[in-house]
Amino acid sequence: MYAYLRTRETANKAVQLPQPNLQFSLCAPRFYSRTRDRMLFGSNVYACAYNFISNEGRYLAVGCEKGGVTVLDTDPNTEQDSFIADKWVSHRNNILDICWTPDDRFIVTASGDRTCKLWDVEQRKCVSVLGYHRASVKSVTFNPHDPNTFATASRDGTISLWDVRCTGTQIGDEYMQRSIHEIMDGHCLARDSTKKNKRRQSHSYSSQSIVSVKYLKHDQNLLVSAGASDGLVKYWDIRSRGHNSVECSTLPYNPTGRVYGFVSMILNPDGSKIYAASKDNTIHEYNTLNLESPPSRTFSSASLSLDNFYIKTTIAPNGMTLACGGGGSVPSVHLFDLSKGGDTRPPIVLKGHENDVSAVDWCKTDFDQLASCSDDCVVRVWNVRHVSTNVEFETGVIQEEMTVLKHYVGHSERGVLRADVQPRRQQFQPKKFL
């Protein structure tokens, strides 16, 4: 990715670059976030997702703490004063995950109110309410082999499977559907079964929460999930009615013996690798064909802080770069090179948020653009091609293995934030549905 972007930025002219350090590669693209490319919301933002087809894949759905969904038009060439394409209230609690159907007709939201909802995007209408879990729903994902089915994972330790073709029940104004199968206690830690602790443990979900669930691409019958407490990645056969995983990862090595749970998990575009971000501030790479082997590589940085379970990861469409949110003293987005030897190189650091960065997502049609959400109630869109001269951050210095490295970081403009205003509803017309 880096070599391609350097060529693009120099108008395809041959450029003589200095020989990079054999251990670190400091030549990296510059990402910019202009004032017009950021939006201020009235509450924290925990979820965002780009669409697939309409508007060349540049509609960004954003879910906020107050339960609202906002669709942003992130086309960098748009001349509109507001890039809000549409907005509506979807839940009575915060939205923790959000995803589009492959045809862009529907959006599924996962919420802290223990439900998921299927929304018709054009009509802003709730088609179906999927519930209930016994705790907040942390993750939702569609089946790439069958767009009518999807899976959800919750803090209650349950993975639920859903089929929108199944008949539901009309309750008041809501059409309720039940799951077709549940996997219980998927990542539950060992418990004390004595009567003294039974009641207290029945009300605690912190020891069994599942942070992410995905369908594997090489096998349509397998799901993969990551636990918030047990530090394990597990495979599940959806044909089985049991509650035992068919394959499980080994615990990452830790010299202290402490077990660190995961905060998020994602698959690369071809489905060959799993990347799980851990509370030990490390991203672990697993081979999907051999999950039981130790992680093949790890990615970390002295400036990376994975200190909460709202942090998410995303991978560029070409599979060469991973973006990860983070907190700590300097909230930022970290971009890791996934090519051969990339685990030995320092990340690109995109600075500009004032509080922890939670959700990140890459545009599915253009790996020059990605979006980030933060606890500062701001959504930023980052682009490579749009150079800005009015920047807050130029270069950064981080500490990497006792060596001080200076490298490019994200450039972010100063200026007045655009507030969450009324959408330009009449201009939100999907161009193509499958």
Side-chain angles (χ1 to χ4, degrees):
M1 173 184 174
Y2 295 163
Y4 168 77
L5 289 173
R6 286 200 305 271
T7 303
R8 171 182 287 188
E9 288 187 289
T10 55
N12 295 320
K13 297 180 182 179
V15 178
Q16 295 296 326
L17 295 174
Q19 291 297 321
N21 186 301
L22 294 179
Q23 185 178 4
F24 301 103
S25 177
L26 304 185
C27 298
R30 301 185 182 188
F31 284 80
Y32 297 87
S33 181
R34 303 171 297 179
T35 301
R36 61 179 296 180
D37 295 329
R38 57 181 180 170
M39 174 63 66
L40 175 65
F41 287 77
S43 61
N44 294 344
V45 183
Y46 295 130
C48 67
Y50 278 98
N51 70 322
F52 291 86
I53 302 170
S54 304
N55 195 31
E56 299 181 350
R58 297 188 187 278
Y59 283 133
L60 179 71
V62 177
C64 67
E65 189 176 29
K66 292 183 178 179
V69 173
T70 303
V71 179
L72 305 178
D73 182 356
T74 65
D75 186 346
N77 299 314
T78 183
E79 298 299 329
Q80 298 294 332
D81 293 333
S82 170
F83 67 152
I84 297 179
D86 209 349
K87 58 187 292 189
W88 65 88
V89 176
S90 60
H91 290 271
R92 298 187 301 270
N93 206 321
N94 55 340
I95 296 176
L96 300 175
D97 200 10
I98 190 169
C99 69
W100 295 76
T101 56
D103 59 5
D104 287 352
R105 294 180 59 193
F106 302 97
I107 286 177
V108 179
T109 54
S111 173
D113 64 9
R114 303 180 296 155
T115 67
C116 289
K117 291 186 178 181
L118 181 67
W119 293 89
D120 185 309
V121 177
E122 286 190 88
Q123 300 182 20
R124 294 187 293 175
K125 178 182 178 181
C126 179
V127 177
S128 181
V129 179
L130 312 167
Y132 282 88
H133 280 278
R134 295 183 299 278
S136 302
V137 185
K138 295 285 292 181
S139 176
V140 58
T141 182
F142 270 92
N143 186 348
H145 311 285
D146 182 1
N148 293 302
T149 61
F150 57 97
T152 58
S154 169
R155 287 186 63 244
D156 62 11
T158 301
I159 299 173
S160 297
L161 305 181
W162 310 85
D163 191 329
V164 296
R165 295 167 295 190
C166 293
T167 303
T169 304
Q170 189 72 36
I171 302 177
D173 296 333
E174 296 182 333
Y175 185 73
M176 302 287 296
Q177 283 190 274
R178 301 177 69 90
S179 61
I180 59 175
H181 178 52
E182 288 186 345
I183 300 172
M184 308 290 290
D185 299 328
H187 288 266
C188 183
L189 293 176
R191 293 183 176 183
D192 183 351
S193 60
T194 62
K195 291 184 178 180
K196 180 179 179 181
N197 293 308
K198 210 169 200 179
R199 178 175 297 181
R200 176 174 56 85
Q201 291 167 348
S202 65
H203 295 282
S204 175
Y205 299 113
S206 61
S207 62
Q208 58 185 352
S209 177
I210 301 174
V211 297
S212 183
V213 62
K214 302 290 181 184
Y215 283 90
L216 289 177
K217 296 186 178 181
H218 70 272
D219 191 328
Q220 62 180 353
N221 297 311
L222 291 182
L223 284 170
V224 58
S225 63
S229 298
D230 61 359
L232 297 174
V233 177
K234 294 183 178 182
Y235 285 172
W236 309 91
D237 191 333
I238 61 176
R239 297 169 297 183
S240 172
R241 292 302 174 182
H243 300 283
N244 296 320
S245 61
V246 296
E247 194 170 347
C248 181
S249 66
T250 57
L251 285 172
Y253 171 75
N254 188 293
T256 65
R258 178 179 173 181
V259 176
Y260 288 90
F262 294 115
V263 300
S264 65
M265 179 196 67
I266 195 168
L267 295 170
N268 67 343
D270 64 12
S272 62
K273 302 291 184 183
I274 299 170
Y275 295 90
S278 172
K279 288 279 286 183
D280 65 358
N281 301 325
T282 303
I283 300 171
H284 302 273
E285 179 189 85
Y286 296 91
N287 189 325
T288 55
L289 298 179
N290 191 10
L291 182 63
E292 295 179 347
S293 297
S296 54
R297 293 190 298 177
T298 59
F299 300 84
S300 61
S301 169
S303 57
L304 179 65
S305 177
L306 305 176
D307 56 1
N308 67 75
F309 291 101
Y310 296 107
I311 295 171
K312 293 183 175 63
T313 53
T314 183
I315 295 180
N318 63 353
M320 299 302 292
T321 309
L322 180 145
C324 180
S329 59
V330 184
S332 54
V333 180
H334 285 66
L335 306 184
F336 292 93
D337 185 0
L338 300 182
S339 63
K340 185 177 181 180
D343 55 328
T344 64
R345 305 185 185 109
I348 303 171
V349 182
L350 308 184
K351 300 179 181 179
H353 287 290
E354 298 178 358
N355 214 326
D356 293 358
V357 180
S358 52
V360 289
D361 196 41
W362 224 293
C363 180
K364 298 176 178 63
T365 59
D366 184 3
F367 59 77
D368 286 354
Q369 182 182 115
L370 71 153
S372 60
C373 308
S374 172
D375 287 356
D376 60 8
C377 307
V378 173
V379 173
R380 279 188 178 272
V381 177
W382 304 84
N383 290 278
V384 170
R385 292 187 294 269
H386 292 267
V387 179
S388 172
T389 56
N390 181 23
V391 298
E392 295 174 354
F393 301 98
E394 287 288 352
T395 57
V397 179
I398 62 174
Q399 189 77 19
E400 290 279 355
E401 297 182 1
M402 305 305 294
T403 303
V404 176
L405 302 173
K406 181 175 288 189
H407 59 91
Y408 292 132
V409 300
H411 295 216
S412 50
E413 280 189 354
R414 297 182 183 275
V416 179
L417 284 170
R418 289 191 291 181
D420 187 355
V421 296
Q422 292 300 317
R424 43 185 176 87
R425 171 70 181 164
Q426 68 279 7
Q427 297 190 14
F428 180 55
Q429 294 296 332
K431 299 179 181 178
K432 177 183 178 183
F433 288 152
L434 291 181

